Amino acid sequence: MGFANIAANNGWSMAFLGISIVMTGLIVLSLAISQIHKLVAFWERRQAKAAQAPAPVVEPEIESPAPALSGQCPINLDELADLYQPLTEPLGAPFELKELYRVAGESDLPHPHITIRCFREAGLLTMESEGLFSWKR
Amino acid sequence: MYELLISFLTNTGYYFISQDFRYVLMILVGLLFLYLGIAKKYEPLLLVPIAFGIVVGNIPFFKGFGLGIYEANSVFHYLYFGVTTGLYPSIVFLGLGAMTDFSSLLAQPKLMLLGAAAQMGVFFTLLGALALDFLPKEAASIAIIGGADGPTSIFLTAKLAPHLIGPIAIAAYSYMALIPVIQPPIMRLLTTRQERRIRMDEPREVAKTERMIFPILGVLLCCLLAPTALPLLGMLFLGNILKESGVVERLAKTARSAIIDTATVFLGFCVGMSTQADVFLTEKSLLIFCLGALAFSLATASGVIFAKIMNLFLRKKINPLLGASGVSAVPGSAREVHLMGQHEDPGNYLLMHAMACNSSGVIGSAIAAGVLWSFMM
């Protein structure tokens, strides 16, 4: 019973070593993850440089109406924002995204999910706090 | 006919209950837990299946019919197999990984240390349990309650001291449900009002590539250090890469819904059933409950104190309340930290930061379990 039992079962060593191993493991992991964004930035810079290198002359292609942002974002985001912004006035600022989805749905605006995602990606909608957003225009 | 009737009556649960009132006590405990889960909404996803399991598991029966969870070839024994082998906890970790967004942790890696610090409670409790004459394997299983992670506690206990699964699992889940009662006084005691009002910077945006690299890096670094944590961390990071890769959304969705829900139902129910009065109501169980409370409190205190120590060296101070969310009770402890921060300063939003500590606590407690398991090999 008591300290004698701890010592008899190697308790002090197990506790000290256990704490040290867990701390070391998470310190190493935290150091590693603190470097990930630098590695990613480095990799992206390299890719950007490669993209800037003079490309071989190719036949001009017909320009496709590619969206300015990722995936299926519409090009005329600012115009769309002009449509969406008045809808949020009754909601006040900041507002919840689900409310914006709701009013957009009620107004029969097409593809509100994609459009709102694109607003966020373009920085037109910014997060004020947990789950609350406002317009940045 | 009279003899037949008597024989039938002596095989009913009513007869057995009249012989041993401990079953009544356990059924009442089950009903209390049901009340807490349903009416008070204390961790209902866990508490309701556990509570119902307690009620079902404590309906006494004639031993030898192959009915009980501890009787070979019974249906419940087969379901219990998922607990004793550590299968359900691993599946729960898969779902947990598919649910967890590690962005806030990736944005503030220093908060990971708080998840590590909270695990000190585990090892302090190991000493306490050894001092109280528990065998080393039992002491390790009790100590992991301090990690505040139900599946991890069950996993380690299944490996080291399967006869204690009932009390340890009930203690672990009860304390997780009682976070709003246990943690706030400790947080208040160890911090000043000024410290509780410290505001944290908005975390930076985390790129998708970073989120994708994290599970790979995590599994390599953590599991190479403690391979015994593989069944938990391997599954956690598998779930996370399913989520973050973006190419197997269907699998990620199933992992975070149907799979984790199925495992949770069986895990909770079987743990509840394992509390059969004749096995559960012992002096050891009472001691385990006391040590569990100590483990949980020590883990909370260790996190808070470590955050204060970190502040001695940091130029930009962190809110020491975050240390309390270093235990892996997701998201209960993060919510509690956030609420206390808001209570002192309504404009102080700590939830995102606390979730970072919470997720590192999940990793930390799995490593601690792996380390304890390897010590006992």
Side-chain angles (χ1 to χ4, degrees):
Chain A
M1 183 95 176
F3 288 143
N5 207 31
I6 297 175
N9 288 297
N10 222 7
W12 300 111
S13 315
M14 281 197 288
F16 178 74
L17 207 60
I19 292 171
S20 310
I21 293 171
V22 175
M23 280 301 243
T24 309
L26 289 187
I27 287 171
V28 170
L29 185 60
S30 70
L31 285 175
I33 63 175
S34 68
Q35 302 306 312
I36 299 179
H37 71 280
K38 291 178 189 165
L39 277 174
V40 171
F42 172 73
W43 181 253
E44 281 172 355
R45 269 201 309 274
R46 250 191 75 191
Q47 282 196 321
K49 266 186 192 167
Q52 281 169 3
V57 181
V58 289
E59 289 287 314
E61 286 178 15
I62 300 162
E63 199 177 322
S64 63
L69 294 164
S70 68
Q72 307 142 315
C73 284
I75 308 169
N76 53 343
L77 261 187
D78 280 323
E79 291 167 28
L80 282 170
D82 288 338
L83 283 176
Y84 274 71
Q85 208 164 349
L87 299 179
T88 58
E89 276 165 16
L91 304 175
F95 48 84
E96 288 184 60
L97 280 192
K98 68 174 182 189
E99 288 299 310
L100 181 54
Y101 287 129
R102 186 180 57 77
V103 291
E106 284 170 359
S107 306
D108 285 333
L109 291 172
H111 312 300
H113 280 77
I114 295 171
T115 314
I116 291 170
R117 176 175 60 78
C118 293
F119 285 153
R120 289 192 61 192
E121 285 181 5
L124 294 173
L125 265 181
T126 52
M127 187 158 77
E128 291 284 303
S129 58
E130 183 60 26
L132 295 174
F133 290 79
S134 64
W135 294 103
K136 192 164 190 175
R137 318 175 73 215
Chain B
M1 197 171 95
Y2 176 73
E3 278 179 11
L4 195 64
L5 181 66
I6 294 295
S7 160
F8 173 76
L9 287 177
T10 51
N11 280 335
T12 60
Y14 297 112
Y15 174 77
F16 289 112
I17 275 188
S18 68
Q19 301 293 305
D20 189 347
F21 278 97
R22 289 180 302 173
Y23 290 104
V24 181
L25 181 66
M26 285 309 297
I27 290 173
L28 288 175
V29 170
L31 294 177
L32 173 71
F33 278 21
L34 263 182
Y35 169 75
L36 291 176
I38 296 170
K40 297 284 178 187
K41 294 193 170 54
Y42 281 0
E43 301 282 345
L45 291 176
L46 302 169
L47 219 49
V48 172
I50 289 178
F52 205 77
I54 295 176
V55 174
V56 174
N58 282 285
I59 292 175
F61 52 84
F62 187 78
K63 294 279 188 314
F65 275 11
L67 291 172
I69 200 161
Y70 296 112
E71 289 192 301
N73 294 327
S74 76
V75 173
F76 292 132
H77 189 74
Y78 284 116
L79 289 179
Y80 194 47
F81 179 77
V83 177
T84 51
T85 52
L87 180 67
Y88 297 147
S90 293
I91 298 176
V92 169
F93 262 64
L94 172 75
L96 205 58
M99 279 178 182
T100 310
D101 183 354
F102 285 105
S103 299
S104 49
L105 183 62
L106 289 166
Q108 314 161 88
K110 64 173 180 273
L111 294 184
M112 189 167 256
L113 300 185
L114 299 180
Q119 307 312 318
M120 286 184 197
V122 170
F123 294 97
F124 291 143
T125 311
L126 174 74
L127 297 177
L130 284 174
L132 286 173
D133 263 354
F134 278 95
L135 296 173
K137 285 184 176 180
E138 293 176 336
S141 305
I142 296 166
I144 201 67
I145 299 175
D149 194 331
T152 306
S153 304
I154 292 168
F155 178 82
L156 188 68
T157 311
K159 299 293 170 196
L160 296 181
H163 57 288
L164 295 182
I165 280 188
I168 287 179
I170 296 290
Y173 280 117
S174 306
Y175 294 131
M176 279 168 70
L178 290 173
I179 283 172
V181 181
I182 298 174
Q183 285 202 314
I186 299 171
M187 291 194 272
R188 220 170 287 127
L189 186 74
L190 294 174
T191 53
T192 63
R193 186 158 187 265
Q194 202 182 354
E195 284 173 328
R196 293 195 289 270
R197 290 167 64 94
I198 293 175
R199 288 194 179 194
M200 301 288 292
D201 288 338
E202 183 83 4
R204 68 175 173 82
E205 282 275 317
V206 174
K208 186 177 164 57
T209 323
E210 282 180 73
R211 297 203 305 269
M212 228 160 25
I213 293 172
F214 175 67
I216 302 167
L217 206 58
V219 80
L220 288 175
L221 290 177
C222 298
C223 295
L224 284 173
L225 179 72
T228 35
L230 260 175
L232 297 175
L233 288 181
M235 296 300 268
L236 177 82
F237 289 125
L238 167 66
N240 195 242
I241 201 157
L242 293 180
K243 172 180 183 283
E244 298 299 352
S245 66
V247 291
V248 282
E249 185 49 32
R250 211 176 73 199
L251 301 187
K253 197 177 160 194
T254 312
R256 67 171 164 260
S257 54
I259 290 181
I260 193 172
D261 289 348
T262 310
T264 304
V265 168
F266 288 131
L267 181 65
F269 184 72
C270 289
V271 162
M273 277 209 72
S274 69
T275 62
Q276 252 175 239
D278 51 344
V279 181
F280 185 79
L281 284 180
T282 61
E283 197 186 320
K284 260 189 180 171
S285 299
L286 196 66
L287 275 176
I288 288 170
F289 271 86
C290 297
L291 282 167
L294 178 76
F296 200 81
S297 309
L298 283 175
T300 305
S302 308
V304 175
I305 293 169
F306 193 81
K308 290 173 72 129
I309 295 171
M310 277 173 74
N311 274 347
L312 298 176
F313 304 99
L314 291 173
R315 203 173 304 140
K316 172 76 188 146
K317 309 290 180 207
I318 56 174
N319 191 316
L321 290 178
L322 293 174
S325 55
V327 296
S328 63
V330 184
S333 56
R335 195 172 48 218
E336 215 46 54
V337 165
H338 177 70
L339 288 176
M340 183 165 281
Q342 288 230 307
H343 178 75
E344 297 295 347
D345 173 5
N348 198 0
Y349 293 93
L350 295 173
L351 191 64
M352 289 277 280
H353 312 279
M355 282 303 288
C357 303
N358 245 185
S359 20
S360 80
V362 173
I363 300 171
S365 64
I367 297 179
V371 169
L372 285 170
W373 188 14
S374 65
F375 282 166
M376 302 298 156
M377 274 176 171

